[in-house]
Every structure is written in C-alpha cells, then in structure tokens.
C-alpha cells in the first residue's frame, strides 16, 4: 500500500520546543497503556490526540509505522484526531493544541489554505488525520535560524475514524 504524506517544515521557538518535549513525554508511554492512563499530564485535553495516536500505533498499521519511522529521524510525537492542527487565516502559521503561540511555516509540500473573509465556509482551516512531529533533516534545517528548531510535520490527512475502524471520537 503506497501512501503519500504531506510535509510541512516549521520552526519552533525554545518555548514551543519545551512544550513539544512535554507532549513527547506522554508519547514515550505509547506502548504502555496502564502508564499512559495514570500519567497525569497525559490526561490533559491537549494530550487526547496523542493517546488516540498511541492506540493506532499499537495496531501495527503500516501507515502509522511509516509516519513514525520514515525519513532521517523518528517522530518525537504523533497526534490523531479531527482538527488536530489549525492554520491561521493567511495560511502562513499553524496552531497546535498544547504548543503555545503561532508556529511559523517555512516550507509546505501542499497548498497552504487561505481563509476568504465573509466566505460561506469555516472561518479557519484545520488538518484532520494523523500528524507526526519529526526533527527536520539537516538539509531542511539549514534554513532555520540558529535560535529556532526545525520540525517536519508529516501529515496523513484523512477521517481519523476510518483508520482501522478504531472508535476515535
């Protein structure tokens, strides 16, 4: 089964990277459901998509394994759900629950959405599906400022409820 993923290179500030490391602390418990259940921070609402991604990863689905281990670096974290990442109105920044502030988009393999004010659609665009947060390769990180962190968001855009029939709502 061949699957194409969207890649979005973003830069994180030091504060945002610390927040991603906190999400990573929950992600590290993905193979131990009892520990994931009792770990206090994992019970936060912003960590629910991590718990869902952990359940999906434990199924052995090759798409999950591809998101986690493809490329040069293993994922620091993965989230799964509806509207797990939000675009700003200009399509140049992202918002991720659990990571403070706007995240600058440096490079996007897809077309960044731009919200049309007064349009009939939603007043924002969001990514639903699975998103892996991987450290960007050295080649991609070359354009990231010295005081920032390059992260490659690897996106499998889909209806999360269709992944292996898991009840993820």
């Amino acid at each position: 089964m061949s699957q194409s993923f969207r890649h979005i290179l973003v830069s994180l500030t030091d504060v945002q990277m610390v927040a991603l490391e906190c999400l990573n602390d929950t992600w590290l418990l993905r193979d131990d459901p009892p520990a994931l259940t009792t770990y206090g921070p994992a019970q936060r609402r912003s960590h629910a998509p991590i718990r869902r991604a952990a359940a999906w990863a434990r199924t052995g689905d090759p798409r999950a394994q591809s998101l986690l281990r493809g490329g040069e670096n293993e994922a620091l974290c993965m989230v799964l759900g509806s509207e797990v990442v939000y675009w700003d109105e200009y399509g140049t920044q992202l918002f991720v629950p659990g990571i403070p502030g706007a995240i600058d988009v440096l490079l996007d393999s897809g077309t960044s959405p731009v919200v049309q004010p007064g349009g009939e659609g939603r007043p924002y665009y969001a990514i639903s599906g699975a998103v892996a947060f991987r450290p960007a390769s050295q080649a991609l990180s070359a354009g990231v400022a010295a005081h920032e962190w390059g992260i490659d968001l690897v996106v499998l855009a889909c209806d999360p409820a269709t992944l292996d029939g898991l009840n993820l709502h």
Side-chain angles (χ1 to χ4, degrees):
M1 143 184 5
S2 123
Q3 182 69 52
S4 66
F5 299 111
R6 179 177 186 173
H7 290 265
I8 304 171
L9 176 65
V10 299
S11 64
L12 299 183
T13 64
D14 286 338
V15 169
Q16 290 170 327
M17 189 61 188
V18 167
L20 179 57
E21 289 170 352
C22 290
L23 297 176
N24 175 256
D25 289 344
T26 297
W27 179 248
L28 290 174
L29 298 172
R30 69 186 173 275
D31 293 324
D32 187 355
L36 194 57
T37 302
T38 59
Y39 179 58
Q43 303 317 306
R44 294 181 184 143
R45 186 177 1 186
S46 63
H47 290 228
I50 298 169
R51 294 189 308 271
R52 291 183 195 120
W56 181 50
R58 285 191 303 272
T59 68
D61 187 313
R63 295 168 295 182
Q65 302 314 308
S66 217
L67 279 168
L68 292 175
R69 294 185 180 84
E72 197 174 291
N73 297 306
E74 186 169 336
L76 296 171
C77 183
M78 187 165 67
V79 295
L80 173 65
S82 295
E83 299 188 359
V84 291
V85 176
Y86 299 89
W87 290 93
D88 74 344
E89 62 188 352
Y90 305 106
T92 59
Q93 294 182 315
L94 297 173
F95 297 90
V96 177
I99 298 179
I103 299 170
D104 290 329
V105 174
L106 303 177
L107 189 62
D108 186 355
S109 69
T111 303
S112 296
V114 177
V115 175
Q116 297 298 324
E120 294 191 20
R122 296 180 300 194
Y124 63 89
Y125 285 105
I127 295 172
S128 292
V131 180
F133 295 77
R134 292 190 206 151
S137 67
Q138 287 186 342
L140 284 176
S141 293
V144 177
H147 63 282
E148 294 181 332
W149 301 84
I151 300 294
D152 181 17
L153 302 184
V154 186
V155 179
L156 171 58
C158 64
D159 176 356
T162 64
L163 296 174
D164 281 352
L166 296 175
N167 181 10
L168 299 171
H169 294 290

